[in-house]
Amino acid sequence: MANRKTQASLDSLVAEYMDRNPRSRQMFERAKTSLPGGNTRTGVYFDPFPIYADRGEGVYLIDLDGHRLLDFVNNNTALILGHAHPAVVGALQDRVAKGTGFSRPLALEVEMAECLRERIPSLERVRFCSSGTEAVLNAIRASRAFTGKHKIAKFEGAYHGMDEYAMVSYLPPPGPGLGPAHRPRSFSTSAGLTPEAVENVIVLPFNNPEACGEIITENANDLAAVIVDPLSTAAGMTLPANGFLTRLREITEGAGVLLIFDEIISFRVSRGGAQERYNVRPDLTCMGKVVAGGTPGSVFGGRADVMALYDPTSGAPRIPHSGTYNANPIAMVAGLATLRILTPGAYDKLNSLTLRLGSKLDAVFKEADIQAQVTVAGSLFRVHFLPEKPHNYRAAVQDDAAMHKWLTFSLLNQGIYWKQGGNVSLPMQDTHIDQLVSSVRTALQQIGK
């Protein structure tokens, strides 16, 4: 698609968007007087202003202007049951009436821990916290304490929350500063990171087991852990090549390095997460979003000997870990209600719908002679405007941002909310899949005129 044609169409779509959403526009202007740039959550901002949500109902997000948007974002994958699922709402209402927090443990946290351990065998012991960032920073800290080593490794482009170590090389801008593809350099992608954080993070190339093996082996004496998002969801959803995660497990085990799976998003692909899907057992796992039923809550856990660092029963634990909202009853009941509904049959439905969606989107792009790739993993899907599916971050970052922006506004104006793809929720039916496909077809026909 020619840039001039794309821009002209985009200008028209943005003008329509602004006309359709006057209340969101007014709220954004109001927000800028209290919040920096009118924003407190970077990922929800976009130009010229974001849509402000009012409420959610099943598969729909209803915004301040009263539009019922078919929601394929679901609060960044957290709402696998859709908005305000009756079982989750009922559990929360019942729980709130009994109190929202205590300075004592509840039986709920034991029940939730047992539920997670039954689903994921690698979780020999677990601990709860309030966000994915907290889960990751604790897993990294435990790795350093257990191994006595100070460095960690992560994959180029990957997102693992807002901890210092995690922010190194998160979506770095392409260019010579990143170093060779097989030997990425650590890159500071946020102001305020300490030089020590950048120096102590080793960056790995996704889907390159030979290079990973060399880098990990060379740094084994200083390297405590490798953390990986098995689906590379925030780095373009570049799925692992056949055998890559298995080989990564072998490499880390051979080097005496712990392997951490960040399953905060990827847990939704099957009952036992990506580690079940790919048959790989990590040493530690971080989870959030789905396991908290869409409320603020997260989990980290794994090997009993590593998690014993937090054990206070024989004196002060080697790693103290407090948090007023750890194992908060609101997160526990919402998470349990969600997990009970996520039976093998529920995953079959989710995955079947998403496969159907991916196939239909592929066909629509081919009909329109638009170069696009559709990647599906469980109930997640991602569109790339590229000649072939990307295999790592450097390939994914070549995606056509202008095309994505154009399609996003076109779909919003047609009553559909997505972000370069999205995820399917359990209440969705074939009709919702068909609505998205039809809207994409309409958009492509308009730009083709």
Side-chain angles (χ1 to χ4, degrees), residues 12-186:
S12 176
L13 290 171
V14 171
E16 180 183 351
Y17 170 84
M18 295 175 72
D19 288 342
R20 280 171 51 86
N21 296 283
R23 293 188 66 188
S24 282
R25 185 177 186 178
Q26 291 166 6
M27 186 58 68
F28 180 63
E29 293 302 317
R30 178 178 165 187
K32 287 191 290 187
T33 65
S34 301
L35 305 169
N39 182 264
T40 192
R41 188 177 170 194
T42 304
V44 302
Y45 171 74
F46 63 87
D47 183 54
F49 58 84
I51 280 177
Y52 279 75
D54 180 53
R55 65 191 188 279
E57 297 174 1
V59 300
Y60 296 104
L61 181 155
I62 296 90
D63 64 27
L64 279 185
D65 288 280
H67 303 121
R68 293 175 64 84
L69 302 173
L70 182 56
D71 189 0
F72 285 95
V73 178
N74 293 301
N75 197 18
N76 295 335
T77 78
L79 301 173
I80 197 168
L81 302 183
H83 295 277
H85 190 282
V88 176
V89 172
L92 288 170
Q93 288 174 332
D94 180 66
R95 180 63 255 174
V96 168
K98 297 174 182 176
T100 58
F102 308 91
S103 61
R104 299 286 87 197
L106 281 78
L108 281 169
E109 66 190 71
V110 181
E111 190 177 349
M112 174 59 105
E114 291 171 345
C115 178
L116 291 169
R117 289 185 63 220
E118 187 273 326
R119 285 174 171 256
I120 306 176
S122 71
L123 293 180
E124 297 173 4
R125 298 290 185 275
V126 302
R127 289 183 75 86
F128 298 102
C129 37
S130 298
S131 68
T133 290
E134 290 178 57
V136 168
L137 73 84
N138 272 286
I140 290 173
R141 183 174 296 158
S143 300
R144 296 201 305 263
F146 184 78
T147 63
K149 296 183 281 187
H150 62 283
K151 291 187 177 183
I152 67 130
K154 62 166 293 191
F155 286 87
E156 190 170 50
Y159 178 67
H160 300 291
M162 304 304 294
D163 181 51
E164 265 206 325
Y165 281 66
M167 288 296 289
V168 174
S169 292
Y170 165 54
L171 300 182
L178 300 187
H182 70 290
R183 289 272 174 167
R185 294 174 186 157
S186 297

Side-chain angles (χ1 to χ4, degrees), residues 10 13 16-17 20 51 67-72 357 361 364-365 381 383 385 403-422 434-444:
L10 177 59
L13 290 171
E16 180 183 351
Y17 170 84
R20 280 171 51 86
I51 280 177
H67 303 121
R68 293 175 64 84
L69 302 173
L70 182 56
D71 189 0
F72 285 95
L357 172 58
L361 285 176
V364 167
F365 287 122
F381 67 98
V383 173
F385 292 107
M403 272 292 288
H404 277 296
K405 186 173 183 180
W406 167 80
L407 187 52
T408 293
F409 277 103
S410 180
L411 292 177
L412 280 171
N413 291 343
Q414 294 183 69
I416 290 181
Y417 178 38
W418 87 346
K419 289 169 67 176
Q420 300 178 332
D434 293 340
Q435 182 182 342
L436 172 58
V437 173
S438 176
S439 296
V440 172
R441 180 180 284 112
T442 297
L444 297 178

Side-chain angles (χ1 to χ4, degrees), residues 275-315:
Q275 55 196 269
E276 177 184 82
R277 179 187 178 104
Y278 293 102
N279 193 28
V280 175
R281 185 179 178 119
D283 298 298
L284 295 169
T285 299
C286 304
M287 292 183 293
K289 299 188 186 295
V290 167
V291 297
T295 66
S298 62
V299 183
F300 69 98
R303 283 170 41 181
D305 56 347
V306 179
M307 295 301 292
L309 292 162
Y310 294 90
D311 185 346
T313 58
S314 299

